[in-house]
Amino acid sequence: MKPRLDHLRKEADRSMTYIAAFECKGGIVMCADTQETHKARGGYQEEKEYVEKLYVPENLSYPVAVGGAGLDEPIEAFSLELFDRVEREKPATVNELRTLIQSSIEKVHKSDIVVSAWPSMYRTTRCIVAAKPTNDDFAIFVVTGKRVSYRKREPVIIGYDTPVNKALLRRLYRTDLSMQQGVILALYLVAQSKAVNVGVGFDTKVAVITSTGTWSEPQADIAEMEDRFSEITPFVDRLLLAAPDVGTTESAFEGLLKEFQEEMRRLRFDHKQIVGEQLAKGNVNWPYEKLPLGCTVIQSFDDSGKRTLSIYTDPDDPSRETRALRLDDNGVLQFKITTNIDISEKTYEHLRGCLSANLKDCIQHVGQDC
C-alpha cells in the first residue's frame, strides 16, 4: 500500500533543526530544540509538531547519546542499533567506537532502507554521536548518510549551522568550561537560534555525557535556567553598551556598575535559593555540581511542621552548617546531612529578637549565644 501523498510530502519537506555538541571539563554537553516544521506547498498549510531529537539511552552503562536532524525513522533505527552494540561490545578506544558507529549505520541502511517509504531521505539524515570510550578520551562524531567523520575536536552544529550560530558558539565556547557552564551555554545557544531561525522552537533538550553515563537535564531545571536568562540579560545588555561609551561620565558609569553588581547579587541569591530547594528536599540526582561543594540549606519549621524559612549558605561562609558530599558508584553527586539545624517556632521567636542585622545572619550562628 502506498503512503498518502500529503504524508510523503511532509516527510520530504522537513525543515532544519538546531543540534549542537561540545566538550567541557568532565564530559560532553549536547542540546537541541524540539520543533519540526513541515513546509507549506501546493495549498498545504505549514505545520509544526513536537519531536524528540536527542536520543538518550535508559539504563545503559556505556556513556553515549545521539542527536539527529532529518527523517526520524533512520535516526531512531541507528540510535537503537548503536546503543545495542556499544552495550555489548563496549569499544575501548576512539577508533573502535568510530568503527562501531560505521557498522551500525551501514546495518541500518542495508536492512531498513529497503522497507522504507522514504529511502532517499536516509542519504540526507545527519547525526551527532557523543560518547566516552572505556579507555580513551571523550569523542564527538558527525554521521551524514552512511559517512562517519573522524573525531571532532571543535564544537559542532547540525541543522542550522549558519554563520551566525557558528560565530556565537565560537565566541562563547572555551575548552575549560565547567559542566554547569556548558549546560548554561547549551541553553543559551538554542535560545538564540530560536530567536533567529524560524525552524527552531518549542522546548529545549539537553543531554550530559560523563565518564559513567548519560543524563537528560530535567525539564524543570531547564525552564528555571531560561527564566534566569530573561532576568539577567537586560542588565548585561545595558553594561555591554555602556562600558565602551567614553561619552558617559565616570560617575554615571560607576552608578551603572553598582546597579549591575547589586542586581546580579540579588538574582544569584534568588537562583541559589531555588536550586537549594531541590537540595533540601533530599531527592537530587545530579551528574555534576549545581551548587558549590559543602554548601548547605537551613530551614525552619513551626510546631505544625510548616516551613517558615529557608536559607542557602555558601561553603566559604565561616559560620555555616556543613554538608558532606560524595560521588556514588555511578558518578552521581549525592548529599548527606552531617549537621542540621532544626528550628522550632519557639526558636524562631528568639531569632526575631536577635541583635543581628538581619535574620539570615542570625540563622547562621543559631545554637551559639545570639
Side-chain angles (χ1 to χ4, degrees), residues 4 15 19 54 80 89 105 107 109 121 135 139 141 148 201 209 219 264 309 313 342 345 349 359-360 364:
R4 290 173 53 203
S15 68
I19 304 173
L54 292 187
L80 294 175
E89 302 180 28
I105 193 65
K107 172 66 181 303
H109 276 250
M121 295 293 291
N135 300 326
F141 300 91
V148 181
I209 299 92
Q219 208 59 38
M264 290 305 102
L309 185 69
T313 62
D342 184 14
E345 185 61 25
E349 289 294 328
L359 191 57
K360 178 176 180 293
Q364 291 171 353

Side-chain angles (χ1 to χ4, degrees), residues 101-121:
I101 294 171
Q102 185 71 64
S103 62
S104 297
I105 193 65
E106 288 177 354
K107 172 66 181 303
V108 169
H109 276 250
K110 181 179 180 180
S111 60
D112 289 41
I113 199 170
V114 295
V115 295
S116 175
W118 310 280
S120 63
M121 295 293 291

Side-chain angles (χ1 to χ4, degrees), residues 88-336:
R88 285 188 284 106
E89 302 180 28
K90 292 182 170 54
T93 67
V94 169
N95 288 336
E96 289 177 6
L97 175 61
R98 182 176 181 274
T99 299
L100 193 145
I101 294 171
Q102 185 71 64
S103 62
S104 297
I105 193 65
E106 288 177 354
K107 172 66 181 303
V108 169
H109 276 250
K110 181 179 180 180
S111 60
D112 289 41
I113 199 170
V114 295
V115 295
S116 175
W118 310 280
S120 63
M121 295 293 291
Y122 277 62
R123 295 193 296 271
T124 59
T125 297
R126 300 193 75 197
C127 294
I128 297 176
V129 178
K132 172 63 173 68
T134 307
N135 300 326
D136 217 337
D137 294 333
F138 289 92
I140 298 173
F141 300 91
V142 175
V143 181
T144 305
K146 290 195 296 183
R147 299 190 306 275
V148 181
S149 73
Y150 288 98
R151 179 191 177 195
K152 295 292 186 179
R153 299 283 180 170
E154 301 295 328
V156 295
I157 303 172
I158 61 174
Y160 274 105
D161 52 343
T162 63
V164 172
N165 285 335
K166 288 181 177 179
L168 182 64
L169 181 53
R170 283 196 300 269
R171 179 168 70 87
L172 295 175
Y173 175 75
R174 305 189 314 274
T175 57
D176 62 345
L177 285 177
S178 67
M179 190 64 74
Q180 171 81 309
Q181 290 186 354
V183 171
I184 294 171
L185 173 58
L187 294 174
Y188 185 73
L189 292 172
V190 179
Q192 294 306 299
S193 186
K194 287 179 182 178
V196 298
N197 304 130
V198 295
V200 180
F202 293 173
D203 292 342
T204 298
K205 297 290 184 177
V206 175
V208 174
I209 299 92
T210 71
S211 60
T212 56
T214 304
W215 316 83
S216 293
E217 189 73 4
Q219 208 59 38
D221 292 3
I222 290 176
E224 194 273 322
M225 183 64 72
E226 289 175 334
D227 288 341
R228 294 189 213 177
F229 282 137
S230 64
E231 292 180 297
I232 290 174
T233 299
F235 297 100
V236 174
D237 290 347
R238 287 184 61 191
L239 193 62
L240 175 66
L241 297 179
D245 179 11
V246 294
T248 301
T249 65
E250 293 308 304
S251 61
F253 183 65
E254 286 296 326
L256 181 61
L257 279 178
K258 182 178 180 181
E259 178 190 16
F260 180 83
Q261 185 180 54
E262 291 175 349
E263 289 299 324
M264 290 305 102
R265 284 177 173 173
R266 178 184 65 81
L267 290 172
R268 283 176 57 82
F269 180 78
D270 290 346
H271 297 150
K272 280 188 174 183
Q273 287 285 82
I274 293 172
V275 181
E277 287 290 306
Q278 299 178 33
L279 176 63
K281 291 177 181 177
N283 60 351
V284 293
N285 191 33
W286 299 338
Y288 60 91
E289 300 166 13
K290 294 192 177 185
L291 288 173
L293 293 176
C295 68
T296 190
V297 176
I298 304 170
Q299 295 185 315
S300 65
F301 301 84
D302 60 23
D303 293 336
S304 65
K306 181 181 178 181
R307 190 184 66 196
T308 55
L309 185 69
S310 177
I311 295 294
Y312 167 88
T313 62
D314 273 332
D316 52 3
D317 189 331
S319 59
R320 61 165 172 70
E321 291 295 296
T322 62
R323 287 177 181 262
L325 292 87
R326 65 183 179 84
L327 291 176
D328 65 13
D329 293 339
N330 294 320
V332 178
L333 202 62
Q334 301 287 353
F335 300 83
K336 181 180 179 181

